[in-house]
Amino acid sequence: MLALRLLWRNWRSGEVKLLAAALLLAVAVVSGIAIFTDRLQHTLVQESNALLGADKVVRGSHPHDPVWEEEAARAGLRHTTATHFASMIYAGEHMHLASVKAVGEGYPLRGQLETSTTAFATRPDQIDIAAGIPAPGEAWADSRLLPLLHLQLGDRVAVGEYELRITRVLIREPDSGNPFSFMGARLLMNEADLPLTQVVQPGSRVQYQWLLAGDTAAVDNFAAMLETRFDAHQQLVDIGSNQRGLGRTLNTGQRFLLLAAVIGVLLAGVALALAARQFANRHVDQVALLKSLGTGSGRIRRLYFTQLMVLALVASLAGLLVGELLQRTVAAALLQAYQIRLDGPTLYPYLISLASGIICLLFFALPALWFLPYVPPMKILRRELAVNGLQLWLQVALAFLAVLILVLLFSQDLPLALSVIGALTGVFAITGLLAFGLLRLSQRLAGGAGSVWRLAVANLQRRREQTLVQIVVFATAIMLLLSLTIIRTSLLDDWQAQLPEDAPNHFLVNIPPHEVDAIQKLIETRHYQHQPLYPMVRGRLTHINGVELSATSVAREGVFNREANLTWTDTLADDNQVVDGAWWPEWQSQHGLPGVSVEAEMAEQAGLKPGDWLTFSLGGLSLEAEIASLRTLDWRSMRPNFFFIFAPGTLDDYSPTYITSLHLPAADKVFINDLLRTYPAILVIELDRIIGQIRTIVNQVSNGVQLVLWLTLAGGCLVLLAAVTSSIEARKQEIGLLRALGSPRRLMLGSVWLEFSMLGLLAGIIAVLGAEILLAGLQYWVLETPIKPHVLYWFAGPLLSAGLIGVLGVLSCRSAVNTPPAIVLREAG
Amino acid sequence: MSSAPMVVANGLVKTVTTYEGALTILDDISLEVAAGESLAIVGASGSGKSTLLGILAGLDLPSQGSVSLNGHLLTSLDEEGRAKVRAENVGFIFQSFQLLPGLTALENVLLPLELHGASNARNAAADFLGRVGLSQRLHHYPQQLSGGEQQRVAIARAFASHPRVLFADEPTGNLDSTTGGRIIELLFELNRELGTTLVLITHEERLAQRCLRRIELAGGRLVEAHS
């Protein structure tokens, strides 16, 4: 086939290599990121689901419909049940209000149960992963239940009307953060024994869970179908609704990766457009010749289109291979460094990568080549004939359209796509204007300078249009690279700052008021970092401005649908910030009610504002309060945080317990055991594993970010190279001519170096300015991090840019300067 | 001289619009070139020779007048139609050779044959390169060849597809006298051998004299015609 033969010849002569490299890079960047992110996401969801014990859970105050089980089995899903309730359990004369969980076969569907024969076991060799659940007639008990009830393994406890034998100590279990677990020490039993206890009666407070796990899509579909059949007492729970901090870190990380992928593709796209332009210019003569030989426009279009598509296919497949190898390398590094095994990818990222290759080709390369079939055949005789290419603005508009499509393809997030496009448009306009102004300034400054300077500036001026295009391209590339480097650094710093080494990793809950002083003293003598002890009362929001909550649109949303922890304090924690209303004592009530400060996001969800009045039910008692302020807070801080904070004294009559968080070094884990032996009423929530998990995620995402940064840097260098080489042909001829006229080699190299360095410097200055604008936009709208200037880069950016582009220029022109002028002229001619 | 006309031009006018208004490049030119005939178009730089050659070959259209080539009325055809006529009838030789730099000598000659879908194209191309004395240079790139050798490749390329008319734009313009002489010999030898009609532009008296007929252009007008 002629097109393939022509492609092979073009390849051999090096004319399509830059084009292929740009395309390969675009696909490699996209596929590397897309496949990695896909695997990361699946792995994280699996890991997170282990905390829940399932992929999704149907929670309700009555059991699920048994008919659903058959349907779940038909959909290929695994399922089991867990029933939570609080019950007074007895061992001899001792009793305790325990948090009982009766589970069905197969529990948990995700994650595992860790048990031991030793209470408070911490050493790995003492802990076993349970192969199943307690056998009928047996139960596994929380460590603290043993001292509480003076029990040994093998002893019996009475749950209602039935006695169970304690056979193991339960060390860790999924779903330990369930509000029902806050009530007392855990007792895990087999569901088959539940009727025998006769504890669960009509009207008992019981939470029924139906757990589901399986293929992600199947679970999602099934859950979506189920939700339509729920009654008012049932809800669907997944990890997204439970783990807010984790979700946010992951989300920011993924947004960064996505942004980097888009920047990478954009850079590769610019390189592609430049390479295509160069290719098209070189092929004007070839097309004119083909036309003189009798080839029609249609055939020329087909010939070039076929060449381009074959090239795109081969380069995209090669890019996919490179991307696959890259993400495998990172995954292997993760496995080695953190023992994290990523799940296999789905087909979607591969398809999306190939699609991006095609989109890049159609929108970046094709417009530059569009005019080729329209080259007039007379061009072969009259070389001065003008050829009308596609208007530059149209090419830029098409490129912008491509960026929009790509961002939407990846994120399905229109605001993100529009903010990238908006920032780029602004930056392009400013870059163009500034480049023009700076060019004029350099001309004025060079007036009194030496010959090397004058020659360099004269060259810049003479090729003003080309120079402007080059400055815009250099500036855009450097701007994007700078932005990405800065975002990456600040993102990693931000994550590190959120989870410092001494971040609280244990919550102490349920501290009775009379033990507060003793516990505070104990923590202080151990010198552990800790938060204040907050009083806490559990209560449910029942009315908003006198309207019953069940009549509002948010009745079934998150926190509105369950009991919340209420507290009071006079000092605001430093990660809390009042955004509306006033904090006490400045606050004045309008209705003569006690004040409450409400978390801002929740307030927004329910349309709450200062001055609204809320009614709470606290253990059957009703409390009315007026909203004094709205508050933002940092859920990632691992400190006790509250949706509702009351004015001091408001909850004094509601018998509070206390809560605090502290940082326990890994080596001091045994402190928990000492604490619980002395104060068995306290519930300890161990967050060290979740924090470890968040660190793991941060590490995973950071690794991805690092990889992506290198890929985009490669893209940036390719753009610079493409932009430098695009002017080399014309430059070679000039250099040959000037050398023939006796210009010394040093003058030539000096002027080339100066010319490119000046270009680099101008581009660098503009790039820094553009990067600050872009960063401000991205930080404000996309990453939601504070906007701040990056002074170091104001100096480093232009200098690095001048150095890099100066060197690239000299390297590209060196052969022309070193080769005898006659040969240079002959080759260029 | 054969009697059937291969190229017929009637009342050709070519005007272009410039910043300073309309400029007439060709003014009322009529001529005929018989099949197998050789015609030299001479004239000073800027006299309109290249424009005339382009129009006669169907590369461009006149502003007024008509051209027919081997019986096809070029001025009534669209670009695709003219391309078809060129493909079937026309070959070119250019002053600056117009060899594609990324292709070897053989591939340059092969190109028109491949475009026309000729069978056994590779052998035919190699054969033609042999006839112009370049059988040892088949796999050399244009950059590795001298000016004379490059023009021989161009001649081989032009004749390889057996055109009925060969248009040559100053074929010896970039060559020294001796090399130019050899190129002229080669051109006419193949012209004779294959019975091709030859229309060429030249400044070189030696070349013009080898043609059966010559016309001279001045300021876009036909001022002299010799047989």
Side-chain angles (χ1 to χ4, degrees):
Chain A
M1 195 176 164
L2 184 58
L4 291 183
R5 282 202 292 271
L6 288 178
L7 178 62
W8 164 241
R9 288 168 195 166
N10 284 327
W11 173 264
R12 205 186 47 199
S13 67
E15 287 179 10
V16 290
K17 279 184 184 157
L18 195 61
L19 208 60
L23 203 58
L24 185 146
L25 195 82
V27 177
V29 169
V30 173
S31 60
I33 295 169
I35 303 168
F36 179 76
T37 315
D38 184 66
R39 293 182 64 185
L40 190 66
Q41 199 168 6
H42 275 96
T43 311
L44 293 176
V45 168
Q46 293 287 333
E47 277 181 25
S48 310
N49 287 349
L51 290 177
L52 191 68
D55 292 344
K56 288 196 192 290
V57 176
V58 178
R59 261 188 208 166
S61 54
H62 57 79
H64 65 279
D65 187 342
V67 175
W68 297 352
E69 292 185 7
E70 281 171 38
E71 294 177 29
R74 269 205 300 278
L77 305 183
R78 293 186 296 132
H79 59 91
T80 187
T81 52
T83 311
H84 291 250
F85 58 94
S87 179
M88 198 62 85
I89 59 173
Y90 301 86
E93 75 264 30
H94 303 288
M95 58 183 176
H96 173 72
L97 181 63
S99 165
V100 184
K101 179 153 76 176
V103 295
E105 278 305 325
Y107 182 89
L109 298 178
R110 299 280 183 214
Q112 53 214 12
L113 294 169
E114 293 179 25
T115 65
S116 178
T117 50
T118 315
F120 305 108
T122 49
R123 293 208 320 267
D125 60 304
Q126 295 176 315
I127 300 172
D128 302 315
I129 310 291
I133 57 169
E138 293 181 3
W140 297 345
D142 193 347
S143 293
R144 64 196 179 110
L145 196 63
L146 277 69
L148 275 170
L149 296 179
H150 302 274
L151 286 172
Q152 302 287 328
L153 283 191
D155 289 352
R156 291 182 170 272
V157 292
V159 182
E161 300 297 316
Y162 193 60
E163 279 201 350
L164 298 165
R165 200 160 60 88
I166 306 293
T167 52
R168 309 273 309 168
V169 177
L170 185 64
I171 303 294
R172 269 184 209 96
E173 57 173 337
D175 203 23
S176 55
N178 191 312
F180 265 74
S181 311
F182 281 29
M183 291 179 183
R186 164 78 77 228
L187 187 80
L188 188 78
M189 58 181 281
N190 194 306
E191 197 183 41
D193 295 333
L194 194 55
L196 303 173
T197 64
Q198 299 179 30
V199 170
V200 177
Q201 302 292 337
S204 300
R205 237 183 123 219
V206 176
Q207 187 192 76
Y208 293 93
Q209 292 191 348
W210 189 43
L211 295 88
L212 292 164
D215 174 64
T216 312
V219 172
D220 286 347
N221 289 340
F222 187 70
M225 183 273 293
L226 267 193
E227 261 190 308
T228 59
R229 303 199 209 158
F230 282 175
D231 60 29
H233 305 285
Q234 285 171 318
Q235 69 171 130
L236 198 68
V237 179
D238 58 23
I239 203 66
S241 49
N242 269 12
Q243 301 278 322
R244 300 178 62 139
L246 211 64
R248 228 176 252 200
T249 304
L250 186 60
N251 202 4
T252 322
Q254 281 180 342
R255 279 187 162 218
F256 173 84
L257 285 174
L258 162 77
L259 204 67
V262 169
I263 289 179
V265 174
L266 192 66
L267 284 170
V270 174
L272 196 65
L274 286 173
R277 211 173 129 158
Q278 210 174 322
F279 176 83
N281 287 339
R282 283 184 178 194
H283 277 249
V284 168
D285 285 349
Q286 181 165 338
V287 170
L289 179 75
L290 290 176
K291 284 206 161 179
S292 76
L293 294 174
T295 315
S297 306
R299 182 149 186 223
I300 286 181
R301 188 176 295 114
R302 283 196 301 279
L303 277 176
Y304 276 90
F305 192 73
T306 313
Q307 286 188 62
L308 217 54
M309 287 319 278
V310 172
L311 186 74
L313 196 70
V314 174
S316 296
L317 287 174
L320 209 57
L321 192 70
V322 173
E324 171 77 20
L325 288 176
L326 277 171
Q327 66 87 12
R328 270 174 192 241
T329 310
V330 177
L334 272 180
L335 182 65
Q336 202 179 7
Y338 307 105
Q339 286 75 51
I340 297 161
R341 190 179 296 280
L342 293 182
D343 283 3
T346 56
L347 191 61
Y348 183 69
Y350 292 93
L351 294 178
I352 210 174
S353 305
L354 279 179
S356 350
I358 303 289
I359 290 172
C360 274
L361 185 85
L362 292 181
F363 288 87
F364 288 110
L366 208 58
L369 301 172
W370 195 254
F371 72 95
L372 275 182
Y374 304 105
V375 169
M378 193 59 185
K379 178 93 179 159
I380 198 83
L381 288 175
R382 302 180 65 93
R383 306 192 74 172
E384 73 281 7
L385 271 186
V387 181
N388 292 328
L390 209 55
Q391 299 280 332
L392 190 65
W393 69 264
L394 190 59
Q395 292 193 32
V396 173
L398 283 171
F400 270 49
L401 186 65
V403 177
L404 189 71
I405 295 175
L406 285 170
V407 183
L408 281 178
L409 202 65
F410 281 103
S411 64
Q412 282 121 34
D413 184 350
L414 192 64
L416 174 64
L418 290 179
S419 64
V420 171
I421 293 285
L424 278 177
T425 314
V427 165
F428 262 49
I430 294 169
T431 309
L433 283 174
L434 272 179
F436 190 70
L438 287 174
L439 213 55
R440 290 192 74 135
L441 189 70
S442 72
Q443 186 183 18
R444 212 174 285 172
L445 291 179
S451 56
V452 174
W453 275 93
R454 278 207 310 279
L455 186 59
V457 173
N459 273 338
L460 286 178
Q461 292 293 337
R462 198 159 35 81
R463 285 190 286 266
R464 183 181 294 182
E465 200 171 311
Q466 194 183 19
T467 307
L468 274 177
V469 170
Q470 276 187 332
I471 291 182
V472 172
V473 169
F474 287 148
T476 311
I478 293 168
M479 172 194 81
L480 293 175
L481 291 179
L482 273 179
S483 307
L484 208 59
T485 314
I486 293 172
I487 295 178
R488 172 194 155 270
T489 313
S490 69
L491 210 59
L492 294 190
D493 288 351
D494 186 36
W495 288 338
Q496 289 301 324
Q498 275 164 26
L499 282 180
E501 282 303 314
D502 58 356
N505 55 6
H506 287 78
F507 273 79
L508 306 187
V509 190
N510 234 5
I511 305 170
H514 64 273
E515 289 176 354
V516 166
D517 289 342
I519 286 178
Q520 189 143 16
K521 218 171 190 175
L522 182 66
I523 296 173
E524 274 160 15
T525 53
R526 299 275 190 132
H527 302 292
Y528 294 141
Q529 288 274 342
H530 70 100
Q531 297 298 312
L533 276 96
Y534 291 94
M536 191 176 94
V537 172
R538 291 188 66 78
R540 184 183 284 269
L541 180 67
T542 56
H543 295 74
I544 296 174
N545 291 328
V547 177
E548 208 166 322
L549 192 68
S550 55
T552 66
S553 60
V554 290
R556 289 181 59 186
E557 307 268 336
V559 67
F560 299 99
N561 194 26
R562 57 179 154 89
E563 281 198 321
N565 296 325
L566 316 177
T567 191
W568 65 93
T569 181
D570 52 357
T571 46
L572 201 57
D574 52 13
D575 61 333
N576 280 227
Q577 204 179 351
V578 171
V579 289
D580 196 3
W583 187 251
W584 24 88
E586 284 81 35
W587 175 74
Q588 294 288 328
S589 169
Q590 297 170 24
H591 307 288
L593 292 171
V596 61
S597 172
V598 182
E599 194 266 333
E601 252 180 62
M602 170 201 183
E604 192 186 347
Q605 202 181 356
L608 301 177
K609 55 190 184 306
D612 285 349
W613 47 287
L614 306 176
T615 313
F616 293 89
S617 164
L618 297 93
L621 299 172
S622 169
L623 170 70
E624 288 200 337
E626 178 183 330
I627 299 181
S629 61
L630 305 184
R631 215 164 14 94
T632 57
L633 54 83
D634 186 0
W635 290 107
R636 295 170 294 189
S637 67
M638 294 293 161
R639 298 165 176 179
N641 266 315
F642 298 91
F643 283 110
F644 302 103
I645 299 181
F646 287 78
T650 315
L651 303 179
D652 277 356
D653 300 336
Y654 297 91
S655 39
T657 58
Y658 284 74
I659 178 171
T660 188
S661 67
L662 75 155
H663 174 76
L664 207 57
D668 284 8
K669 191 82 188 171
V670 72
F671 169 76
I672 298 291
N673 299 353
D674 299 344
L675 185 79
L676 287 178
R677 277 198 191 100
T678 323
Y679 305 102
I682 297 175
L683 172 68
V684 177
I685 301 176
E686 297 168 84
L687 288 178
D688 44 350
R689 300 186 104 205
I690 295 180
I691 291 177
Q693 198 186 17
I694 294 179
R695 287 231 166 84
T696 305
I697 289 169
V698 168
N699 282 333
Q700 284 176 326
V701 178
S702 304
N703 270 287
V705 164
Q706 203 80 15
L707 160 81
V708 167
L709 190 74
W710 283 114
L711 281 175
T712 25
L713 273 176
C717 287
L718 201 67
V719 169
L720 298 184
L721 193 70
V724 169
T725 50
S726 68
S727 65
I728 285 304
E729 285 305 316
R731 223 174 275 266
K732 274 186 178 166
Q733 199 165 5
E734 276 171 28
I735 290 172
L737 205 62
L738 285 168
R739 290 274 289 140
L741 293 173
S743 292
R745 198 174 149 269
R746 190 182 294 171
L747 174 77
M748 298 312 311
L749 276 183
S751 98
V752 166
W753 176 76
L754 250 180
E755 189 186 331
F756 276 102
S757 298
M758 272 193 283
L759 266 178
L761 190 72
L762 296 187
I765 294 170
I766 298 163
V768 166
L769 201 75
E772 287 289 4
I773 298 172
L774 186 63
L775 281 173
L778 290 179
Q779 288 178 327
Y780 186 76
W781 282 298
V782 180
L783 299 172
E784 293 169 17
T785 49
I787 298 171
K788 53 187 175 204
H790 309 87
V791 183
L792 178 68
Y793 290 92
W794 293 355
F795 301 97
L799 288 178
L800 278 174
S801 154
L804 183 67
I805 293 170
V807 168
L808 270 178
V810 169
L811 285 180
S812 316
C813 289
R814 205 178 46 171
S815 70
V817 175
N818 289 338
T819 316
I823 296 177
V824 176
L825 284 175
R826 190 168 136 193
E827 283 182 4
Chain B
M1 189 174 127
S2 176
S3 55
M6 179 58 72
V7 181
V8 181
N10 273 316
L12 294 182
V13 175
K14 180 74 179 177
T15 44
V16 290
T17 315
T18 66
Y19 290 116
E20 291 152 7
L23 178 70
T24 302
I25 299 175
L26 295 177
D27 190 4
D28 193 23
I29 292 188
S30 300
L31 59 86
E32 272 190 18
V33 187
E37 189 187 9
S38 55
L39 171 74
I41 305 171
V42 298
S45 292
S47 59
K49 305 187 297 289
S50 294
T51 307
L52 178 61
L53 189 80
I55 291 173
L56 294 179
L59 296 177
D60 199 3
L61 283 174
S63 309
Q64 285 174 38
S66 66
V67 184
S68 67
L69 198 150
N70 196 23
H72 302 279
L73 188 59
L74 294 178
T75 37
S76 68
L77 297 173
D78 62 3
E79 171 51 29
E80 292 297 300
R82 292 197 299 276
K84 193 161 177 282
V85 175
R86 285 199 299 275
E88 287 163 0
N89 298 284
V90 175
F92 285 99
I93 297 173
F94 308 99
Q95 180 179 3
S96 52
F97 322 134
Q98 297 288 5
L99 299 180
L100 297 180
L103 270 53
T104 61
L106 181 67
E107 287 163 350
N108 265 291
V109 178
L110 205 50
L111 188 65
L113 298 175
E114 287 175 333
L115 283 170
H116 300 155
S119 57
N120 210 6
R122 189 163 275 271
N123 287 343
D127 180 42
F128 263 96
L129 277 168
R131 286 165 84 166
V132 299
L134 290 177
S135 50
Q136 303 301 314
R137 302 283 213 174
L138 299 188
H139 302 294
H140 285 58
Y141 287 94
Q143 270 181 22
Q144 300 166 315
L145 299 172
S146 70
E149 286 170 329
Q150 288 189 46
Q151 195 61 303
R152 283 168 194 237
V153 177
I155 290 174
R157 177 178 67 189
F159 280 104
S161 51
H162 297 277
R164 291 189 170 82
V165 195
L166 187 75
F167 291 94
D169 179 19
E170 309 230 16
T172 56
N174 272 1
L175 302 171
D176 63 68
S177 172
T178 319
T179 314
R182 285 193 198 127
I183 290 295
I184 294 170
E185 287 306 323
L186 187 61
L187 200 58
F188 281 92
E189 189 185 314
L190 285 168
N191 175 36
R192 231 181 2 257
E193 204 176 303
L194 301 169
T196 317
T197 308
L198 197 59
V199 178
L200 55 84
I201 295 175
T202 185
H203 277 116
E204 201 174 341
E205 189 55 32
R206 212 170 22 151
L207 180 54
Q209 278 181 355
R210 291 291 299 267
C211 294
L212 287 173
R213 197 155 64 97
R214 84 152 115 181
I215 56 171
E216 187 176 342
L217 287 186
R221 296 184 72 92
L222 207 55
V223 292
E224 202 181 347
H226 295 285
S227 287

